[in-house]
Amino acid sequence: MSPDRGSTRFSLLLAAAIGAAWLAIHIGGIFFWQWQVATAPVALLLIVVQAWLSTGLFIVAHDCMHGSFAPGRRAWNAVVGTLCLGAYAGLSYRALYPMHHAHHAAPGTEHDPDFHAAAPRRALPWFVHFFRGYYTHGQILRITLAAVVYMLLGAPLLNIVLFWAVPAVLALAQLFLFGTYLPHRHGETPFADTHNARSNSLSPLASLATCFHFGAYHHEHHLSPQTPWWQLPRIKRG
């Protein structure tokens, strides 16, 4: 088996696991969850887990944008990326693809759509800028239509909000903090190179829990964007 084929199979296996777990909570929470005081802590735990899985969906789509999910298979990458972003928050793969490559072309500069040049150290204005860049009227329309269909099928609006909208927003905050703000924030210590990115010192397990390795290994990702997320720790060790 070629290295690319083996990498694709493992990426597909991990994506299937993330997607299946996300779908189970999504369907179970939205259509079948019955609210009781005794089970509220379980619901809270599921919402937190779903936020992490939503981050995972975005990271899988991110690998697709770089072609590292299925090397040499552009159509596979586009289909999987489209499904992941649509499920996560009604995002458009076609719209995000050029934006992310613009980020890699000029990271941490005024030409970077993920960066806020007017506030290179301030989290709140940068987050607002980040939010506006990713969320569009088309996305809101897609989410609204999906929510209407869900309600026509009998899903309570509260369940839709708590098991889909809230995890999506939490995942956005997670992606921003660990995958954008901390790696590209300007500080007293200069960046190592023109990638204007830094990694952090989290353990591999904490790195996985926070942002699927895009915090502790963010500089490594910019050095080797064709490396899938699950191989980033290996790049750093090398």
Side-chain angles (χ1 to χ4, degrees), residues 7-91:
S7 175
T8 299
R9 288 187 176 182
F10 197 67
S11 289
L12 184 59
L13 179 64
L14 291 174
I18 293 168
W22 183 93
L23 194 61
I25 295 176
H26 186 76
I27 294 175
I30 288 176
F31 290 101
F32 300 105
W33 188 262
Q34 300 295 321
W35 290 97
Q36 299 174 4
V37 173
T39 59
V42 178
L44 179 60
L45 176 61
L46 289 174
I47 290 168
V48 171
V49 171
Q50 191 71 333
W52 181 72
L53 292 169
S54 296
T55 299
L57 289 179
F58 189 94
I59 295 303
V60 170
H62 168 271
D63 273 6
C64 292
M65 294 178 199
H66 285 291
S68 59
F69 177 81
R73 297 180 181 270
R74 187 183 182 97
W76 284 30
N77 288 310
V79 168
V80 173
T82 298
L83 290 174
C84 287
L85 290 179
Y88 159 50
L91 290 166

